[in-house]
Amino acid sequence: MVGVSIVVPLYNEEENVARVHTAVVEALADHDIDYELLFVDDGSKDTTYACARAIVAQDPRVRVLKFRRNYGQTAAMAAGIDAARGDVVVTMDGDLQNDPNDIPRLLDQIDNGYDIAIGWRKKRKDGGARVFISKIANKIIARIMGVEVKDSGCSLKAYRASLIQGIPMYGEMHRFIPPLCQLAGARLVQLEVNHRARQFGSSKYGFSRIYKVALDIVSIRALLSYAHRPLGWQAWPTAISFLMGMLCTAWAIFGHNDSIVVPAGIATLFFSLSIFLMAWALIGHLFAVLEPEVSRYAALSAILSTRLKQPVLRKS
Amino acid sequence: MNIETKLPVIDAACEVSVIIPVMVRDDGAEAVWNAYHTAMLKTGKTFEFIYVLDGPHATYVEALERLGGEKAGIRIVSLNRSFGEAACIQEGVKHAQAETLLILPAHLQVTPESIPLLLEQAETFDVVAGARDRRRDTAMSRWRGSLFNAFARFAGSKFEDPGCTARVVRRHVFDEVHLQSDQHFFLPLLAERLGFSVKQILLEQAEIDRRFRAHRPTDYVSRLMDVVGLAFMTRFMHKPFRFFGTIGASLLLLGVICGLYVVGERNFADVPLADRPALLLTALLIVLGIQIGAVGLMAEIVIFTRYRTTPAYRIERIVAQDDDA
């Protein structure tokens, strides 16, 4: 049984594989932690896979998961998390931007009873306007999702495996892992971590980006309310449109209009909308019945609270 | 579904299975068989021919029987009604004995001489797709072909000439690629997305293929639907609300603008609100926008409940020390 799984996605990182391995081994050497290091090769075109394989031969704690082709970082993360055997999953970048020495501090927080510990980089060097837009966007996301994440671009995070393996991971979900976790009832803590040079543009907030994120937030909110109440998630829109229909009917009957065609037409439209929404809600319910996955997410918080303070991380 | 029900075991003696789905269009059973057969003999490989007939083709079966039928290495699978080319190909794959499958159309698209070129590449790639060299084709066909190309490119395909169905496919590809309706046109793209190695090579176009052929209007419509379906699958499958939400939000916005205009006119120009059809339009746009958005959310729910069964990635292998020794 492994205590901690460290998941590192790699894409064309041949010169960094061995360094990541040494850095992780050194960082965790003094801490009595039983861990595995899981490299995910995201279809690299260079010798990343061969390098990683060579490390497997030397170190039994290392595993390599190889993709057939390049599928992107989200997919690599999802695959690594799915394959992880530890009770705690730590994710980090493959380019040594994150400092493995921070891992024990994150793990301490998990030991303290938190379900998710995420790092944030205090010193970031970005252009003023970009940081400003990024901050505003983060504030809006925080408002809607109800979670303020200081630095969503930092991939150094530690989760309880039962939590992260129950979080839906597809499409763009990886951006919303902390809010998703917290809405599932997880306790979240943010820690300041070291950050080394070689900065990516992690704050690409243009208009199209904001608009995409806005759409994603709508769908995630809808999914969450669906996961919690598979039949009732559309109750409010349905009720409102039914009410609108009633109001328009009243207007058609009691309003002093020359013709009732327009008010009656609008009333019909809103009634039909409420019927449509109800029909969709029923179909959604059908999916919830067919697929136990849905109730699993809703029940995550219940599982988590029973898992408080489990000293699984230390060998002793 | 078909007359023959006994499925063969994989026969190592047979190196190539030639699968020929016979649809509406064919260039004569004898001529096509002769051309393909001669080409196959030249490769020096052992082979079998599997004809999959899409619905009853009595005269075609007779012609094949005259060519020698089972004795000449021709096996006939007959579907009792038309199921489409993709179904024919999959049925042919079920009956194939070889590891290497050569799928050829029942009409000559490429010259028989170029078929060995396809097979040469089959050693190193999972899928080798042919593309016709259209330099000597009629202007009309060329234009139509490039239109299909452009649509396919919109759907995310980087392969030329999806209409050319001369391909070599390794058998294991069909364990994971499941073709529906007319998706066989995009077999290279689908295989590539699942992580198989795909190579496209340019082949000489057959003389007979250079004549202009008229397609039925329904063919164009179904082709367009295929491309739209494919585009949705490749670009929005794991984020459907991006697609539906955009349409829904635009309609909603249009409705709100229309509504503001109507209300503005009532307040400032004293146009009575209740008699205006524009108000009906406002409500219609808003309702439609919400409905399309709701469809998108339903699509999200479908993915949310089923994403584990259709992961976006394919793992080639997991290496650990136990099994690495």
Side-chain angles (χ1 to χ4, degrees), chain A residues 64 66 68 165 211 291, chain B residues 194 246 306 308 316 319:
Chain A
V64 181
K66 180 175 165 43
R68 274 199 207 149
Q165 284 167 351
Y211 146 82
E291 194 63 55
Chain B
L194 290 174
T246 307
R306 308 286 304 167
R308 268 174 215 276
E316 185 170 311
V319 185

Side-chain angles (χ1 to χ4, degrees), chain A residues 213-231:
Chain A
V213 169
L215 285 180
D216 289 347
I217 289 175
V218 172
S219 53
I220 283 171
R221 287 302 318 213
L223 284 178
L224 289 174
S225 60
Y226 168 73
H228 288 295
R229 285 192 323 154
L231 192 55

Side-chain angles (χ1 to χ4, degrees), chain A residues 191-268:
Chain A
L191 282 183
E192 197 184 313
V193 295
N194 290 330
H195 188 242
R196 299 169 184 178
R198 198 175 135 180
Q199 192 94 20
F200 288 119
S202 46
S203 57
K204 288 181 203 129
Y205 275 100
F207 172 73
S208 74
R209 170 86 189 273
I210 290 175
Y211 146 82
K212 280 176 186 164
V213 169
L215 285 180
D216 289 347
I217 289 175
V218 172
S219 53
I220 283 171
R221 287 302 318 213
L223 284 178
L224 289 174
S225 60
Y226 168 73
H228 288 295
R229 285 192 323 154
L231 192 55
W233 66 287
Q234 278 172 331
W236 273 111
T238 311
I240 289 169
S241 86
F242 188 76
L243 202 70
M244 286 293 287
M246 293 298 276
L247 284 177
C248 287
T249 313
W251 183 32
I253 296 172
F254 301 112
H256 301 286
N257 304 313
D258 298 337
S259 105
I260 63 157
V261 174
V262 170
I266 295 174
T268 315

Side-chain angles (χ1 to χ4, degrees), chain A residues 68-69, chain B residues 121-129 159 168-170 172-173 187-188 191-200 316:
Chain A
R68 274 199 207 149
R69 52 164 264 192
Chain B
Q121 301 283 344
E123 303 293 318
T124 39
F125 294 96
D126 293 314
V127 177
V128 187
F159 300 102
V168 175
V169 185
R170 312 285 297 176
H172 62 93
V173 172
L187 176 66
E192 203 262 345
R193 276 172 50 81
L194 290 174
F196 293 109
S197 57
V198 181
K199 163 90 171 169
Q200 184 152 56
E316 185 170 311

Side-chain angles (χ1 to χ4, degrees), chain B residues 13 16 70 75 102 122 160 198 211 222 284 314:
Chain B
V16 182
E70 200 84 37
R75 303 196 7 242
L102 174 62
E160 298 289 318
V198 181
R211 288 176 315 189
S222 62
L284 188 65
R314 284 289 189 284

